[in-house]
Amino acid sequence: MSSATGNEIPTGLAMDAQAAVGAVYDLYDPPLWLVTATDGRVRGGLIATFVARASIVPDLPRMVAGIAKHHHTWGLIEASGGFALHLLYPDQLELVWRFGLESGHQADKFAGLATETTPSGQPRLPQALAWLDCRVETRTDTGDRTLYLAAVTAGGAAAETTPLTAGRLYRAAPPEHRATLERLYARDGEIDTEAIRLWRARRANP
């Protein structure tokens, strides 16, 4: 069974349906976002693709970010109620390796980096292409991650250029980093699968 109606719990898609959905996803190349946060004592950051603009009102800008709950940065966002978003230049792959291939549970990802702070006190990387200061307004638990709707309170861009995207990163990654990206993606997929299934089961049987 690959779909559900009524109160049935959705199960995994059949292979042909997976391929069809994958073809839709392949039509766009989302920008990579570097998300940083601090609880006032510890700093952290990660690379995210689940980030989107959530308002067209110029004086009320908002963003949505989906952060997996097993990441170190998730706990910092929960503690501080805010985060900073960064877009990267296409050649800033080293920042991706630093913030995307290591875990903040074991390493200080900011070691040796020049940093500043946003007006709200979140870590900011001045070498990034652009940044946004975000204050969480509400959150939604989706099982594998938390969706944060955040008010954008400040921001800036260093230049007008196309930022680094997921597709660009994958094409530019050397073989050893590409293999690591694929391994971590598969690992996160397994974690997310279990979290989504448990979340759906709890909703079906409160």
Side-chain angles (χ1 to χ4, degrees):
M1 180 176 175
S2 61
S3 62
T5 59
N7 295 322
E8 297 175 1
I9 301 175
T11 58
L13 293 179
M15 291 301 295
D16 58 342
Q18 291 182 44
V21 173
V24 176
Y25 289 163
D26 288 342
L27 292 177
Y28 66 95
D29 187 11
L32 289 177
W33 291 87
L34 197 166
V35 184
T36 59
T38 181
D39 63 0
R41 301 175 299 103
V42 179
R43 298 179 297 179
L46 55 76
I47 300 298
T49 56
F50 192 166
V51 177
R53 180 178 175 180
S55 172
I56 62 171
V57 182
D59 63 335
L60 296 172
R62 303 166 105 185
M63 297 292 287
V64 170
I67 307 297
K69 292 186 281 187
H70 64 276
H71 288 304
H72 178 248
T73 305
W74 176 85
L76 300 178
I77 296 173
E78 285 290 297
S80 68
F83 54 89
L85 296 172
H86 304 75
L87 288 173
L88 303 178
Y89 287 97
D91 62 354
Q92 288 184 312
L93 300 183
E94 285 305 316
L95 286 176
V96 177
W97 311 145
R98 176 186 287 259
F99 285 92
L101 302 186
E102 294 185 272
S103 170
H105 290 293
Q106 286 85 39
D108 177 8
K109 299 183 182 182
F110 290 88
L113 282 181
T115 61
E116 297 179 0
T117 57
T118 67
S120 72
Q122 299 297 338
R124 183 171 80 81
L125 300 176
Q127 61 270 50
L129 167 62
W131 63 278
L132 296 171
D133 199 6
C134 300
R135 175 175 52 81
V136 174
E137 293 191 289
T138 190
R139 53 178 56 76
T140 299
D141 178 14
T142 65
D144 58 328
R145 63 194 65 230
T146 299
L147 300 186
Y148 296 102
L149 175 64
V152 179
T153 58
E160 292 186 11
T161 188
T162 302
L164 181 63
T165 64
R168 283 188 176 191
L169 170 69
Y170 192 79
R171 291 190 295 270
E176 64 274 16
H177 286 327
R178 186 178 300 176
T180 302
L181 286 171
E182 291 174 348
R183 176 178 59 80
L184 293 176
Y185 192 82
R187 181 208 63 184
D188 287 352
E190 292 176 357
I191 294 172
D192 290 354
T193 296
E194 182 64 18
I196 291 170
R197 286 176 173 166
L198 288 173
W199 178 80
R200 286 176 170 172
R202 287 196 299 267
R203 285 169 59 86
N205 301 284

